[in-house]
């Protein structure tokens, strides 16, 4: 019983530790794809800066507050290549200090590759990775940190591809098709014969004016 108590206490310390750097997170947390809770601080081109909010236990709360240090984690949306418009969308959709959950998938130096979940109402949550693809504000890429042949990789990759397909079918965001006249105009302007003709007309005008 005493040994079990020590093991439980050790696990509690890990779960209640506030991580202020990606390097502080135990390897087993990433290998087991643990979900952590956090509070949004800033939205940057490199990812979301999130303050980790650890689990609070009554008998450890006073020690937690005493030992916790300041710092934020840089969290990247795994499997998604963001467009500039995605940054604007995130700034509009996410509230300052919004709480979120981020599931650890991989770590690259000081950056965490994660699935990010935000609550929409009491019983509904949205995966930002999928939602950005559904809005046509990004493209599906390799999920860094997961083995390419693992079941989890293909399960998540399939979800992301399905979200991207919805945007493609609805012509949303980057998948919005140009009109027939826009395509025709671009085709004409890029036509080599038309370009040569324009050059000849300009040459003719210069010589006539002389």
């Amino acid at each position: 019983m005493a040994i079990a108590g020590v093991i439980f206490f050790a696990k509690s310390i890990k779960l209640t530790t506030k991580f202020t750097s990606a390097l502080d997170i135990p390897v087993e947390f990433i290998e087991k794809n643990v979900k952590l809770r956090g509070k949004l601080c800033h939205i940057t081109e490199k990812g979301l800066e999130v303050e980790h909010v650890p689990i609070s236990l009554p008998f450890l709360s006073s020690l937690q507050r005493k030992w916790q240090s300041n710092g934020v984690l840089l969290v990247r949306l795994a499997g998604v290549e963001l467009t500039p418009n995605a940054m604007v969308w995130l700034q509009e959709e996410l509230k300052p200090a919004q709480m979120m959950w981020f599931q650890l998938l991989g770590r690259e130096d000081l950056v965490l590759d994660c699935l990010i979940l935000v609550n929409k109402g009491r019983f509904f949550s949205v995966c930002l990775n999928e939602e950005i693809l559904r809005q046509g504000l990004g493209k599906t890429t390799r999920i860094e940190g997961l083995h390419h042949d693992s079941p989890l990789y293909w399960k998540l990759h399939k979800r992301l591809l399905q979200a991207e397909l919805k945007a493609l079918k609805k012509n949303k965001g980057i998948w919005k098709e140009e009109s027939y006249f826009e395509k025709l105009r671009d085709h004409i302007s890029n036509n080599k014969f038309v370009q040569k003709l324009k050059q000849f007309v300009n040459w003719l005008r210069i010589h006539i004016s002389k």
Side-chain angles (χ1 to χ4, degrees):
M1 290 294 291
I3 295 175
V6 171
I7 293 174
F8 174 77
F9 181 76
K11 288 184 176 180
S12 297
I13 289 294
K14 285 185 179 181
L15 291 172
T16 57
T17 299
K18 181 179 180 179
F19 302 123
T20 57
S21 170
L23 300 178
D24 296 336
I25 298 175
V27 175
E28 57 264 30
F29 274 40
I30 297 174
E31 291 177 345
K32 294 180 180 179
N33 309 123
V34 171
K35 287 183 182 179
L36 300 178
R37 185 176 57 163
K39 181 173 64 176
L40 178 66
C41 295
H42 297 100
I43 299 172
T44 72
E45 293 182 355
K46 295 181 179 180
L48 306 183
E49 291 183 354
V50 179
E51 179 184 357
H52 176 220
V53 180
I55 295 173
S56 179
L57 297 177
F59 63 92
L60 287 175
S61 57
S62 59
L63 291 176
Q64 282 181 266
R65 288 192 295 269
K66 183 178 179 180
W67 292 341
Q68 283 178 357
S69 56
N70 296 323
V72 295
L73 302 173
L74 184 58
V75 179
R76 187 165 54 194
L77 282 83
V80 181
E81 180 185 343
L82 301 179
T83 65
N85 287 336
M87 299 293 297
V88 177
W89 184 86
L90 285 170
Q91 291 168 350
E92 293 175 350
E93 291 293 318
L94 299 181
K95 301 175 183 177
Q98 177 156 354
M99 298 299 295
M100 57 182 59
W101 289 89
F102 50 103
Q103 183 177 8
L104 304 171
L105 300 180
R107 175 172 56 193
E108 183 181 358
D109 299 327
L110 296 176
V111 182
L112 297 168
D113 288 293
C114 304
L115 284 184
I116 303 178
L117 302 171
V118 295
N119 290 330
K120 293 289 185 180
R122 181 177 297 182
F123 305 107
F124 184 63
S125 63
V126 173
C127 174
L128 289 182
N129 309 57
E130 294 179 66
E131 189 61 27
I132 283 177
L133 293 172
R134 275 194 291 266
Q135 297 297 326
L137 300 174
K139 293 183 179 181
T140 303
T141 62
R142 175 182 170 82
I143 302 175
E144 300 297 337
L146 291 180
H147 293 294
H148 192 263
D149 56 351
S150 70
L152 180 59
Y153 179 94
W154 289 107
K155 178 183 177 181
L156 296 179
H157 194 59
K158 180 181 178 181
R159 282 170 50 185
L160 296 178
L161 286 174
Q162 288 174 336
E164 186 176 30
L165 183 59
K166 288 182 180 179
L168 180 60
K169 288 181 177 179
K170 294 181 180 180
N171 297 327
K172 299 184 72 173
I174 58 176
W175 307 113
K176 185 177 180 180
E177 291 186 351
E178 295 178 321
S179 68
Y180 172 78
F181 293 105
E182 288 175 330
K183 290 181 178 179
L184 183 62
R185 181 195 61 197
D186 292 340
H187 177 72
I188 292 175
S189 62
N190 293 328
N191 187 281
K192 291 184 178 180
F193 173 76
V194 174
Q195 291 176 354
K196 290 288 185 182
L197 184 60
K198 286 181 178 179
Q199 292 175 2
F200 174 74
V201 171
N202 290 332
W203 176 84
L204 193 61
R205 283 176 180 173
I206 293 172
H207 284 75
I208 290 176
S209 62
K210 291 180 180 180

